[in-house]
Amino acid sequence: MVGLATAAASFVLLLTACRGDGDVREAPPPSGIEETAYAHPGLSRYDPPVELSFVRETGDNLYGLLDHLPGETLEDNRWTRLYERVLGVRITYEWTAKGDLYRQKLGAALASGDIPDVVKVDAQQLRQLSEAGLIQELTDVYEQYATPFTKEILGQEGPGPFEAATIDGKLMGIPETLSSIEGAEFLWIRTDWLKRLGLKPPRTMEDLLTISKAFTENDPDGNGEHDTYGLAVTQYLWDPVKGLTGFMAGFHAYPNLWIEDDAGRLVYGAVQPEVKTALQVLQEMYRDGQIDSEFVFKDGIKVRDQIAAGKIGMTYGQQWASFDVQASYTNDPEAEWGAFPIVAVAGTEVKVPLRFPTYQFLAVRKGYEHPEAVVKLFNLHLEKNWGETAEYETYYSTPYPAWQLSPVTPFPAHKNLEAYRQLEEARRTGDKSVLKDEARSIYRKIEAYLQQNDETGWGWEKTYGPDGAFAILDQYEKNGQLLYERFYGAPTETMIERLSILENLKNDTFISIILGSPIDEFDRFVEEWHRLGGREITEEVNRWHAARR
């Protein structure tokens, strides 16, 4: 998972690099609006205050953020002060640790049962804690204490996140919902290279392969050397930027999704024949030098460095890929990139795969007196960022991402797409009053780039501009091109036992084929996948699927 981690880290660093004074602004005393908005029991105050303990993963990004927020620490910051002032909840951390050490310590704590009042876990850990009797049921707590606004926001992804947190009919954790549509991918292409070579943006996979070949062989940078690649690929094949998810979709292959077959059964995309076709093409591209021969040794940061150096002309990636490819523009002001829809083989319609994204849940220790406290944190976090009493530039973006200081970080799944739609309405009508906090902040960044050539706005324009990534996502949605994962239940028994083995088998086999192993290795992989637990998992998933009909 190195590539995914480094890509996410790069994104956070880019966000925190935006200019701003980052001054601490203490929230004012409750106003009349607050008193009305906070009348719900889910926003009531404990008197005297109660303590709520967590453990937390830290890292350089978090400490870098704190450097921009003078007078604030992980334990004492605008969010901890707000939670104590409004809710009477005093946040404490039993321990913190970085990266691998955090995961090791968390695993040991879960195994021993020595957990804090609230612990953030994945679906498998949630089941293990539930079966061990270490956490409380939260069904009634959530129903009673979640505000209507919280229920609306956490329900934007449908019932899936709550079904994933429900074990034996009981809600055992509050899902920290993520956004499926944020996983939509786009094609990011050096448009200056297209112009130099007399090419048009791709409309089919055949067009894309022609572009990749030309970017590799026809000296698109004009330096007279054979030193460019057509397509970016990292050692982690499913990186959200520079990965192969969008490429596979061009052949109607979805190797990370549970999808529905023609008979109405759920099948795992990785073992479907379309994947074999896509791997054959990737093998040919690798053999022809269109993919870096050393990609298996390069994580997302190293491949980004190649893009920055002007060595790669095309990548698949999510909406924030604009900030990744911006390094190319920084090094070469004549480098120009554009976002384009992903494409499919000629004569077919592309579907944009969206994995079920919610993977973390907040569980409450058995015996803790105030299990509703964690729901109250969710309520206030959403309220102060997007509700009636929102102070977006204090609690979400200063423009530094102050939201990361909170121990819980729920957000509206469609907030970025909604911000784009507000921006588009303002562009269409000239009425800037339609811009709410987030859209207004993005508008200022884009205007700074367009009017004053402020480079920090370049990526924002490529993402939120009239021809940017969200303009494409808007069309994906309106055209019914989004393909949502069909399984979103709690992990099955065999998944818990075998999934990591099966995923490693998948990734190792696919890389081996791309590097030149016989394509028939795919058929052997399919057999092994079923033999090593895939057959049982498929049956378990379909029992879940049948029970929902």
Side-chain angles (χ1 to χ4, degrees), residues 1 55 57 102-104 106-107 110 115 118-131 135 161 163-167 172-176 178 356-364 488-492 495-497 499-500:
M1 299 291 287
V55 297
E57 181 178 3
Y102 170 83
R103 287 181 281 278
Q104 292 168 11
L106 179 62
L110 298 179
I115 61 175
V118 175
V119 60
K120 186 180 293 187
V121 294
D122 62 26
Q124 178 177 332
Q125 293 164 336
L126 185 71
R127 176 176 286 277
Q128 291 169 339
L129 288 175
S130 177
E131 291 176 348
I135 55 176
E163 290 197 23
T166 298
I167 300 170
M172 301 306 297
I174 307 301
E176 197 157 71
L178 297 177
F356 177 65
T358 298
Y359 66 97
Q360 290 188 314
F361 309 87
L362 280 298
V364 180
Y488 45 79
T492 69
M495 280 183 181
I496 292 173
E497 295 175 5
L499 190 59
S500 62

Side-chain angles (χ1 to χ4, degrees), residues 310-363:
K311 301 303 180 186
I312 298 175
M314 187 161 48
T315 182
Y316 283 88
Q318 296 175 8
Q319 49 92 2
W320 54 271
S322 59
F323 300 101
D324 222 39
V325 302
Q326 184 170 351
S328 170
Y329 171 76
T330 300
N331 287 343
D332 177 7
E334 294 187 4
E336 190 56 66
W337 289 80
F340 299 92
I342 67 172
V343 294
V345 292
T348 66
E349 181 184 39
V350 71
K351 290 289 186 180
V352 183
L354 301 179
R355 297 184 73 172
F356 177 65
T358 298
Y359 66 97
Q360 290 188 314
F361 309 87
L362 280 298

Side-chain angles (χ1 to χ4, degrees), residues 98 174 229 246 257 292 325 358 382 406 430 450-451 475 505:
K98 290 185 177 182
I174 307 301
Y229 301 102
L257 297 190
D292 182 5
V325 302
T358 298
L382 290 168
S406 172
L450 295 176
Q451 303 300 327
Q475 291 305 307
L505 175 66

Side-chain angles (χ1 to χ4, degrees), residues 229-444:
Y229 301 102
L231 183 66
V233 183
T234 76
Q235 62 188 190
Y236 178 59
L237 298 182
W238 320 120
D239 230 327
V241 174
K242 304 175 291 287
L244 293 175
T245 299
F247 183 93
M248 289 273 183
F251 295 91
H252 308 290
Y254 313 105
N256 300 301
L257 297 190
W258 286 92
I259 56 178
E260 196 169 70
D261 67 10
D262 292 340
R265 279 178 56 83
L266 297 189
V267 295
Y268 192 49
V271 293
Q272 305 310 307
E274 292 82 1
V275 174
K276 184 177 182 179
T277 303
L279 288 172
Q280 178 77 70
V281 175
L282 285 165
Q283 185 183 82
E284 293 167 0
M285 293 174 69
Y286 178 82
R287 184 191 61 219
D288 293 344
Q290 297 175 37
I291 295 171
D292 182 5
S293 63
E294 298 183 345
F295 82 89
V296 292
F297 305 112
K298 293 178 179 175
D299 60 19
I301 291 177
K302 290 180 179 177
V303 178
R304 186 187 68 194
D305 290 344
Q306 289 182 291
I307 291 173
K311 301 303 180 186
I312 298 175
M314 187 161 48
T315 182
Y316 283 88
Q318 296 175 8
Q319 49 92 2
W320 54 271
S322 59
F323 300 101
D324 222 39
V325 302
Q326 184 170 351
S328 170
Y329 171 76
T330 300
N331 287 343
D332 177 7
E334 294 187 4
E336 190 56 66
W337 289 80
F340 299 92
I342 67 172
V343 294
V345 292
T348 66
E349 181 184 39
V350 71
K351 290 289 186 180
V352 183
L354 301 179
R355 297 184 73 172
F356 177 65
T358 298
Y359 66 97
Q360 290 188 314
F361 309 87
L362 280 298
V364 180
R365 175 179 57 81
K366 193 85 165 183
Y368 181 68
E369 287 186 67
H370 304 285
E372 73 283 350
V374 68
V375 180
K376 290 187 175 187
L377 297 188
F378 269 63
N379 292 338
L380 190 56
H381 190 272
L382 290 168
E383 174 60 31
K384 293 307 292 182
N385 286 327
W386 298 283
E388 294 180 19
T389 64
E391 295 176 69
Y392 180 88
E393 293 184 353
T394 295
Y395 292 105
Y396 193 81
S397 174
T398 70
Y400 301 106
W403 59 270
Q404 294 179 14
L405 298 177
S406 172
V408 301
T409 55
F411 66 93
H414 293 183
K415 72 180 186 66
N416 291 333
L417 181 57
E418 178 56 32
Y420 160 76
R421 288 171 174 164
Q422 292 171 24
L423 289 162
E424 191 63 13
E425 177 70 8
R427 286 189 285 258
R428 187 180 64 83
T429 64
D431 180 9
K432 299 184 187 64
S433 68
V434 301
L435 301 176
K436 296 182 181 178
D437 289 332
E438 191 151 18
R440 188 162 53 245
S441 175
I442 296 167
Y443 175 83
R444 287 198 293 264

Side-chain angles (χ1 to χ4, degrees), residues 88-103:
V89 176
R90 189 171 296 136
I91 304 298
T92 64
Y93 292 99
E94 292 190 0
W95 53 264
T96 65
K98 290 185 177 182
D100 289 340
L101 179 58
Y102 170 83
R103 287 181 281 278

Side-chain angles (χ1 to χ4, degrees), residues 207-217 229-231 285 290-291 314:
D207 294 341
L208 181 141
L209 297 176
T210 296
I211 292 170
S212 177
K213 184 177 177 66
F215 280 3
T216 304
E217 299 178 356
Y229 301 102
L231 183 66
M285 293 174 69
Q290 297 175 37
I291 295 171
M314 187 161 48

